[in-house]
């Protein structure tokens, strides 16, 4: 619903949305309610005020979901246990719980995989999110060319999470003994913005627009909850029905201050130049590393507007553009200080419950620096054949310096991971976007009917170009990892592979199985070389490329009067 005053100086809007979705798996569903209000008022004293406020309630329920393998022992996954169940097993018809204690029973001799039906009934997961976000803005027209703006933004949300299981399951301790975790994540983001905006015509051909401003942003993350284990009475999932309770707690806060400026010049509406720069400071890095300056520049030229006679039915619009942009990324949490974990209820034997303190497994890195991303791009935009064909094409080179990743550490250091800058990553790519008004191109009489087709094609290739460590494993699971290795794409997939002999044949060991290999050797160019080659680097074998050859989407929209039908193909 929306409305406005007769003179148009006051307007308002109200929206409500509801979504109720049930998954094909029992116990999986989503329910969402959205409410938003907004308004704008132009005052007689050169002031204009505007604002919007949104509220969202989101309720998600799900059975246990995790990574899984054939024997189900990596993570508790309902779907994994279904996928690896032989088709000869009557999953629906067989009983899934023991009548004497309600425990899980499955088809395997050792009963060593949790029956997925038992997981659905006895181990629910849930998250209820209440979120409020909005902005309020005050504009003041200093004169016809200058204006001042103040804007306040708020984003607050509470996530109420729960995960539980009755006891007498199998394989996992949480399933065997029973557990209940409940915790709230509270996040508050406050944003203040103040700026001066200007627009001038320097002469009949040259115009300038500019903005100068500052921004302050504060983000607070507060987690509190209880983790209980050792269920006493089967079927009651409340904290009083568990033997042990430990707190769940975390607190983090980061303030970001920034100043920025932008200048846009246009000459005769066919030549445009944009210059911008920003500097940010963050509170969670040492003072010598907590600041980052990042500029941007772009230029564009419209030949169809600059040269008389170039514009025609065949070529109605043409723009050639080039630009360099940069942006900064800062770490979250407290990466520069070591922390201590406290457990308030540990078994002390004859002493009873005791309080223990331990150094965190995370090693502080006071030398951590912000991450800088820079991108150089060239492109062309065109409208052809009486505006029935659109072309947008770009090529780019992107360089990330001091990329921040969580880096694993040997346990001999006393820690398991840290945050670190891994060096430099470069990527090159091409993006092409085409759109066609199909019924304008085809000889079809379409009274009131339109069909638009968009084809989006992207192809990119990345490479780690500088890195001190031979290999950094920053993601993945047990059988495959995402790694950073100089000379390979970022996130290259590494892990064990089948052993081969010198002729490339698979090696069969004495037990009749293929042999496994967990090391390979590469030269400075990233090529695999035999063990013992001078200057070779030893890494975990590369078993996959995370980058697709290309990504293409074909998006179709058919519209008739007030009805719209869309479909798309992804490849």
């Amino acid at each position: 619903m929306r409305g406005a005053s007769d003179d148009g100086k006051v307007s308002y809007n109200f929206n409500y949305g509801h979504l109720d979705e049930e998954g094909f798996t029992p116990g999986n569903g989503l329910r969402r309610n959205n409410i938003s209000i907004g308004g704008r008022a132009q005052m007689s004293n050169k002031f204009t005020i505007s604002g919007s406020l949104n509220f969202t309630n989101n309720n998600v329920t799900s059975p246990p979901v995790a990574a899984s393998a054939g024997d189900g022992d990596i993570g508790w996954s309902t779907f994994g246990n279904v996928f690896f169940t032989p088709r000869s097993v009557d999953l629906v018809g067989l009983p899934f719980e023991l009548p004497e204690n309600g425990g899980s029973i499955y088809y395997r001799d050792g009963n060593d995989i949790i029956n997925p039906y038992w997981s659905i009934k006895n181990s629910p997961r849930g998250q209820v999110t209440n979120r409020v976000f909005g902005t309020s803005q005050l504009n003041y027209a200093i004169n016809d060319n200058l204006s001042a703006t103040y804007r306040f933004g708020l984003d607050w949300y509470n996530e109420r999470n729960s995960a539980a299981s009755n006891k007498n399951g199998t394989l996992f301790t949480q399933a065997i003994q029973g557990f209940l975790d409940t915790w709230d994540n509270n996040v508050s983001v406050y944003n203040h913005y103040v700026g001066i905006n200007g627009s001038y015509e320097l002469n009949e051909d040259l115009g300038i627009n500019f903005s100068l401003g500052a921004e302050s942003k504060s983000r607070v993350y507060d987690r509190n909850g209880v983790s209980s284990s050792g269920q006493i009475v089967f079927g009651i999932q409340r904290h009083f029905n568990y033997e042990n309770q430990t707190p769940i707690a975390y607190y983090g806060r980061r303030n970001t201050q920034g100043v920025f400026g932008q200048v846009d010049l246009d000459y005769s509406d066919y030549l445009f130049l944009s210059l911008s720069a920003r500097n940010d400071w963050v509170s969670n890095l040492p003072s010598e590393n907590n600041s980052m300056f990042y500029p941007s520049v772009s230029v564009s030229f419209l030949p169809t507007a600059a040269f008389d006679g170039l514009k025609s039915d065949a070529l109605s619009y043409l723009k050639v553009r080039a630009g360099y942009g940069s942006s900064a990324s800062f770490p979250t949490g407290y990466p520069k200080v070591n922390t201590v974990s406290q457990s308030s209820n540990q078994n002390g034997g004859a002493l009873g419950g005791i309080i223990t303190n331990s150094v965190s497994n995370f090693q502080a890195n006071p030398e951590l620096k912000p991450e800088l991303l820079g991108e150089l791009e060239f492109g062309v935009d065109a409208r052809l054949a009486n505006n029935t064909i659109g072309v947008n094409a770009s090529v780019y080179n992107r360089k990330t310096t001091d990329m921040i990743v969580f880096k694993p550490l040997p346990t001999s250091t006393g820690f398991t991971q840290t945050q670190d800058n891994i060096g430099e990553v470069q990527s090159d790519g091409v993006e092409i976007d085409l759109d066609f008004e199909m019924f304008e191109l085809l000889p079809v009489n379409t009274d009131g009917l339109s069909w638009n087709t968009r084809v989006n094609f992207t192809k990119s290739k990345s490479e780690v170009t500088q890195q001190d460590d031979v290999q950094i494993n920053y993601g993945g699971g047990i059988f495959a990892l995402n790694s950073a290795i100089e000379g390979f794409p970022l996130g290259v997939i590494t892990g064990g592979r089948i052993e081969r002999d010198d002729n490339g044949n698979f090696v069969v060991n004495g037990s009749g199985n293929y042999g496994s290999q967990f090391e390979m050797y590469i030269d400075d160019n990233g090529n695999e070389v035999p063990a013992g080659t001078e200057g070779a680097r030893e890494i975990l074998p590369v078993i996959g490329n995370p980058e697709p050859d290309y990504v293409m989407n074909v998006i179709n929209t058919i519209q008739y009067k007030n009805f719209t039908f869309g479909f798309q193909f992804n490849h």
Side-chain angles (χ1 to χ4, degrees):
M1 181 178 66
R2 64 182 64 235
S5 61
D6 293 338
D7 59 5
K9 291 185 177 182
V10 177
S11 61
Y12 59 88
N13 62 78
F14 172 83
N15 297 280
Y16 171 75
H18 175 75
L19 173 67
D20 198 339
E21 184 176 286
E22 184 176 348
F24 63 86
T25 302
N28 180 220
L30 167 64
R31 181 176 296 170
R32 179 185 299 138
N33 290 282
N34 303 308
I35 299 175
S36 65
I37 58 174
R40 181 180 182 274
Q42 184 177 346
M43 316 298 287
S44 60
N45 55 358
K46 297 186 177 183
F47 283 98
T48 300
I49 59 174
S50 61
S52 64
L53 187 64
N54 305 271
F55 170 76
T56 299
N57 172 266
N58 200 62
N59 190 341
V60 179
T61 57
S62 173
V65 178
S68 184
D71 53 4
D73 62 352
I74 296 179
W76 189 346
S77 173
T78 302
F79 300 105
N81 292 341
V82 170
F83 292 151
F84 289 104
T85 299
R87 290 189 295 174
S88 59
V89 174
D90 185 3
L91 177 61
V92 177
L94 291 175
F96 62 87
E97 55 186 351
L98 297 170
E100 60 270 24
N101 61 8
S104 172
I105 186 171
Y106 211 15
Y107 70 96
R108 289 166 63 111
D109 290 340
N111 194 28
D112 52 0
I113 291 182
I114 300 177
N115 191 304
Y117 273 101
W118 191 91
S119 296
I120 290 171
K121 181 179 179 180
N122 293 277
S123 186
R125 307 287 190 269
Q127 182 183 81
V128 178
T129 302
N130 291 299
R131 183 181 182 189
V132 178
F133 60 98
T135 61
S136 59
Q137 182 169 299
L138 176 65
N139 282 34
Y140 177 71
I142 300 172
N143 55 42
D144 293 340
N145 303 104
L146 282 175
S147 65
T149 301
Y150 168 75
R151 183 169 59 246
F152 170 74
L154 167 68
D155 188 357
W156 175 90
Y157 64 88
N158 166 269
E159 290 178 348
R160 176 148 291 186
N161 302 273
S162 63
S165 175
N166 288 321
K167 64 180 180 178
N168 300 329
T170 185
L171 189 61
F172 299 103
T173 301
Q174 288 185 326
I176 297 171
Q177 299 180 358
F179 82 102
L180 172 62
D181 291 347
T182 58
W183 72 99
D184 280 16
N185 297 327
N186 293 292
V187 177
S188 302
V189 180
Y190 302 95
N191 186 280
H192 298 270
Y193 166 95
V194 61
I196 299 290
N197 307 296
S199 179
Y200 289 89
E201 295 293 333
L202 302 180
N203 55 46
E204 61 179 14
D205 294 321
L206 185 62
I208 182 173
N209 298 299
F210 65 87
S211 62
L212 299 171
E215 187 176 29
S216 174
K217 182 178 180 180
S218 173
R219 185 180 191 275
V220 177
Y221 181 95
D222 190 6
R223 172 184 290 179
N224 287 283
V226 177
S227 176
S228 297
S229 61
Q231 188 181 42
I232 300 171
V233 178
F234 182 92
I236 301 177
Q237 295 178 351
R238 305 290 291 180
H239 285 293
F240 63 77
N241 191 44
Y242 292 82
E243 296 177 356
N244 308 298
Q245 284 77 37
T246 57
I248 299 174
Y250 175 81
Y251 180 86
R253 180 170 184 168
R254 187 180 73 177
N255 294 321
T256 305
Q257 314 290 334
V259 294
F260 56 88
Q262 180 170 329
V263 177
D264 299 317
L265 297 168
D266 69 90
Y267 180 78
S268 296
D269 293 328
Y270 65 77
L271 183 62
F272 304 87
L273 174 66
S274 179
L275 302 168
S276 64
R278 181 179 178 111
N279 201 107
D280 283 336
W281 294 265
V282 295
S283 62
N284 63 335
L285 287 178
S287 57
E288 58 271 20
N289 291 334
N290 73 341
S291 172
M292 178 64 74
F293 174 77
Y294 45 102
S296 298
V297 59
S298 65
V299 61
S300 59
F301 175 60
L302 278 65
T304 47
F307 305 116
D308 294 333
L310 181 60
K311 186 176 181 179
S312 64
D313 291 342
L315 179 63
S316 57
Y317 178 82
L318 178 64
K319 179 168 75 172
V320 181
R321 50 186 167 78
Y324 172 79
S326 58
S327 62
S329 179
F330 299 90
T332 58
Y334 300 98
K336 65 178 182 179
V337 294
N338 285 325
T339 59
V340 174
S341 299
Q342 184 182 78
S343 297
S344 58
N345 186 20
Q346 294 294 309
N347 187 356
L351 298 177
I354 61 173
I355 297 175
T356 64
N357 295 283
S358 60
V359 177
S360 169
N361 290 328
F362 179 85
Q363 184 181 40
N365 183 3
E367 303 299 323
L368 190 66
K369 296 179 289 186
E371 176 183 309
L372 180 64
L373 172 66
E375 181 174 318
L376 179 64
E377 180 178 306
F378 299 93
V380 59
D381 305 327
R383 299 295 301 180
L384 310 170
N386 286 318
N387 284 321
T388 59
I389 300 176
V391 179
N392 299 278
S394 303
V395 294
Y396 65 87
N397 174 266
R398 183 179 298 148
K399 182 170 73 172
T400 304
T401 306
D402 296 324
M403 176 173 281
I404 301 172
V405 299
F406 281 93
K407 174 181 171 182
L409 297 174
T411 54
S412 58
T413 64
F415 303 93
T416 59
Q417 67 172 352
T418 186
Q419 267 188 299
D420 201 4
N421 304 106
I422 67 171
E424 182 180 283
V425 180
Q426 292 199 33
S427 61
D428 300 294
V430 58
E431 299 177 353
I432 301 174
D433 191 81
L434 307 174
D435 74 83
F436 306 91
E437 295 297 336
M438 302 299 293
F439 287 152
E440 299 292 334
L441 293 170
L442 301 174
V444 178
N445 186 6
T446 59
D447 185 19
L449 184 66
S450 66
W451 178 10
N452 178 268
T453 298
R454 287 188 56 197
V455 180
N456 178 265
F457 175 88
T458 60
K459 181 178 177 63
S460 63
K461 180 181 179 181
S462 69
E463 181 182 340
V464 179
T465 54
Q466 292 181 19
Q467 183 172 286
D468 294 333
D469 297 82
V470 174
Q471 179 172 348
I472 298 175
N473 302 318
Y474 64 89
I478 296 177
F479 297 119
L481 301 169
N482 292 110
S483 304
I485 304 172
E486 188 172 335
F488 288 84
L490 180 66
V492 65
I493 303 172
T494 60
R497 66 180 182 182
I498 298 176
E499 185 180 2
R500 296 176 182 266
D501 60 23
D502 294 339
N503 297 320
N505 302 311
F506 289 152
V507 174
V508 179
N509 58 30
S511 61
N513 298 316
Y514 289 126
S516 299
Q517 189 176 33
F518 293 94
E519 70 282 330
M520 66 177 288
Y521 301 87
I522 57 174
D523 59 19
D524 291 338
N525 297 318
N527 301 313
E528 185 172 4
V529 296
T533 302
E534 184 177 356
R537 294 174 287 163
E538 180 183 341
I539 63 172
L540 196 64
V542 174
I543 59 176
N545 187 343
E547 298 179 341
D549 293 334
Y550 64 88
V551 176
M552 184 170 66
N553 304 301
V554 181
I555 306 169
N556 295 273
T557 303
I558 298 176
Q559 188 170 6
Y560 179 72
K561 296 184 178 180
N562 292 326
F563 297 93
T564 300
F565 173 72
F567 61 98
Q568 69 183 58
F569 304 96
N570 303 319
H571 186 264

